[in-house]
Amino acid sequence: MTNVSEAVTTEQGSAITDFGIDTTTLSTREALRDYVARLRGGEIGSLPAILGLIALVVLFSLMSDVFFSLNNIANLLAQGAGQTIIAIGIVFVLLIGEIDLSAGTASGVAAAVLAMHFVDDGNLLNGMGSTVFYIFIALMVLATALAGLLRIWPGVAFSVLGIVLVVVGFHANPWIEMLLAVCVGAAIGSITGFLIAKIGMPSFVVTLALFLAWQGVILQLIGEGGVLGISSSHVLNEVANGNLSTAGSWVLCAVAAGGYAAVTLGGHALRKRRGLVTSPTPLVVAKVAALVVFAIVVTALLTVNRSPSKLIVISGVPYVVPIVLVLLVAGTYVLTRTTYGRHLYAVGGNVEAARRAGINVTQLRASVFVISSSCAAVGAIVYSSKVGSVDPQAGGLNTLLFAVGAAVIGGTSLFGGRGRVADAVIGGAVLAVVSNGLGLLQQPAAVVSIVTGLVLLLAATVDAISRRRVAIAGH
């Protein structure tokens, strides 16, 4: 049990904003010294990614007059949302020391089914052809059975719901299409998780094989050179291209910033009243104030009309922002406030100790792939909405690499046991800024790929060095 407890608390001690010390013995200055000492010991969390993000923003703002324009800020938020959402799911897989190489093409399959359901007015039998349609139904039934064997009830529920949506044949409806995409994602994750956790196959081999298999499925559904357009649906188009109203933007700001402040300050006050270990009050207040001010400034900028034409008004926070925020809050809550989250860190820290402590490691390992593929399906909805269509390249290699890269660049360890959902958001922001900034500077795709690869390599190097320092400090 001691090993499990240590594994669970490792992540809590490595968060860059966590000054987890006893305020009865340390002042704010002493807490800062303690934090610096932990940084030197290798517990750096997302700090390199945050510093890199700031440096990139400053660099591109100096090199391009357009970078800080209102239009570009809004575009930047939507540009990396799809890969960031996929990265959020991959964080759960990385936490237990596994990898999901099929997340990209799994999102492509979900996007293809979504688009086909819309284009064929809900008649997938006609769109797929009878043979492919019945194979599709059989796979959904198989996913339901496998999720049931592992007692992953969300996987069962979404797989069954997907079967119902397909068999009943509802007419084209954007909300049904988006729900169907998530159902397909959950079914794919159930199959993947069973092969890895129950059969015992290496996650690298399984997900690499499925990466290729799902790529073939996308080609089969859409056809080589084919394109399925979804831009004619107002709702599907607005997911990545629409904006909240001015009033809605400020409501979002109040709920997000106010909720964060209430939870953080309330939790801090409660811990102090109970005499528990907590951060120094000035540091907590400063952190909350910084985030609230940032939220207000960004909201104020985005509620200004950014349309180049006087005949059209374009303003408000893009819809993708609340989508990412909901996933961020939900994922953070699951990892930090639930038994399931604590078990994930335990398995990632020491799988054998977790098993001996009574944790159902098989079920846990399978469940993270259901989460990963479901998030990949949500990411598919966003990036398909952004481009207005789905083609055979949907969810291709770059989608996967950027999603994994976002998680790693943000600070999630490739070796398991350390990471947060916020890491995916931070890493996604870094990659979006790189792509956006180099695009504004009219750099070719080759340069963008080289720079992105170097950023990912640097992040992996920092992760390896920090783990070595932590190991040395532990001795």
Side-chain angles (χ1 to χ4, degrees):
M1 287 296 293
T2 302
N3 289 336
V4 175
S5 176
E6 290 174 354
V8 171
T9 56
T10 297
E11 169 61 19
Q12 297 171 345
S14 64
I16 68 163
T17 54
D18 178 21
F19 298 89
I21 47 79
D22 186 348
T23 56
T24 61
T25 57
L26 292 181
S27 65
T28 301
R29 180 177 297 179
E30 289 169 333
L32 289 171
R33 285 196 199 130
D34 178 72
Y35 173 57
V36 172
R38 286 191 283 113
L39 286 179
R40 290 176 177 173
E43 299 178 19
I44 57 177
S46 300
L47 183 60
I50 293 174
L51 294 178
L53 179 61
I54 294 172
L56 287 169
V57 168
V58 172
L59 176 64
F60 287 130
S61 62
L62 293 175
M63 299 180 68
S64 172
D65 296 334
V66 184
F67 185 79
F68 264 138
S69 65
L70 295 180
N71 262 327
N72 192 60
I73 292 174
N75 181 60
L76 189 59
L77 293 173
Q79 188 171 344
Q83 67 192 31
T84 298
I85 292 171
I86 299 175
I88 287 174
I90 288 178
V91 165
F92 285 81
V93 177
L94 294 178
L95 279 177
I96 63 170
E98 302 287 358
I99 188 68
D100 187 0
L101 299 177
S102 66
T105 50
S107 74
V109 172
V113 173
L114 176 152
M116 182 169 286
H117 191 278
F118 173 74
V119 170
D120 291 305
D121 195 26
N123 188 355
L124 288 181
L125 176 60
N126 178 65
M128 294 181 175
S130 58
T131 302
V132 175
F133 178 79
Y134 291 125
I135 291 175
F136 175 75
I137 295 296
L139 288 174
M140 295 292 287
V141 171
L142 175 64
T144 304
L146 297 182
L149 286 174
L150 293 168
R151 292 185 295 174
I152 303 175
W153 307 123
V156 172
F158 277 110
S159 298
V160 170
L161 180 57
I163 295 171
V164 172
L165 293 176
V166 171
V167 172
V168 172
F170 291 97
H171 289 293
N173 181 294
W175 300 104
I176 288 180
E177 268 100 55
M178 288 188 283
L179 179 58
L180 179 58
V182 176
C183 292
V184 170
I188 289 174
S190 298
I191 295 172
T192 307
F194 183 87
L195 293 174
I196 293 168
K198 194 68 175 177
I199 304 300
M201 299 170 66
S203 60
F204 180 87
V205 175
V206 172
T207 57
L208 178 60
L210 290 178
F211 169 85
L212 298 172
W214 300 138
Q215 199 166 47
V217 170
I218 299 170
L219 280 171
Q220 176 64 42
L221 294 178
I222 300 178
E224 193 167 351
V227 176
L228 298 176
I230 60 173
S231 59
S232 58
S233 169
H234 176 72
V235 173
L236 291 176
N237 182 66
E238 288 288 290
V239 171
N241 301 299
N243 305 291
L244 295 169
S245 64
T246 299
S249 299
W250 284 111
V251 168
L252 174 66
C253 176
V255 171
Y260 174 79
V263 170
T264 303
L265 296 177
H268 174 70
L270 181 63
R271 292 180 69 86
K272 286 195 70 173
R273 283 199 303 271
R274 294 179 176 177
L276 301 174
V277 174
T278 187
S279 305
T281 300
L283 294 177
V284 175
V285 173
K287 180 173 67 173
V288 170
L291 186 139
V292 170
V293 170
F294 176 77
I296 292 173
V297 170
V298 171
T299 303
L301 290 174
L302 292 176
T303 50
V304 175
N305 182 19
R306 51 184 180 269
S307 173
S309 171
K310 295 182 179 180
L311 302 176
I312 303 175
V313 176
I314 302 177
S315 63
V317 175
Y319 285 126
V320 294
V321 173
I323 294 173
V324 173
L325 282 178
V326 167
L327 292 174
L328 172 62
V329 172
T332 301
Y333 178 83
V334 167
L335 290 180
T336 59
R337 300 297 181 91
T338 67
T339 302
Y340 176 80
R342 291 191 291 272
H343 286 177
L344 280 182
Y345 285 118
V347 172
N350 190 323
V351 63
E352 188 54 37
R355 194 189 313 275
R356 292 181 180 181
I359 296 175
N360 189 337
V361 175
T362 300
Q363 182 188 51
L364 202 76
R365 289 179 68 208
S367 68
V368 297
F369 289 95
V370 177
I371 294 174
S372 176
S373 294
S374 298
C375 286
V378 178
I381 296 170
V382 172
Y383 70 65
S384 299
S385 170
K386 184 66 178 174
V387 299
S389 63
V390 179
D391 60 39
Q393 301 304 315
L397 189 59
N398 282 347
T399 302
L400 167 68
L401 295 181
F402 283 5
V404 175
V408 176
I409 289 169
T412 299
S413 176
L414 285 166
F415 303 96
R418 189 175 67 192
R420 305 171 302 165
V421 174
D423 295 343
V425 178
I426 296 170
V430 171
L431 291 178
V433 167
V434 169
S435 178
N436 180 272
L438 292 177
L440 292 176
L441 297 176
Q442 298 182 338
Q443 296 297 316
V447 174
V448 176
S449 294
I450 291 171
V451 173
T452 304
L454 291 176
V455 170
L456 178 56
L457 181 63
L458 178 61
T461 303
V462 170
D463 177 38
I465 294 175
S466 66
R467 287 182 63 86
R468 185 181 303 171
R469 284 191 171 187
V470 169
I472 293 174
H475 287 87

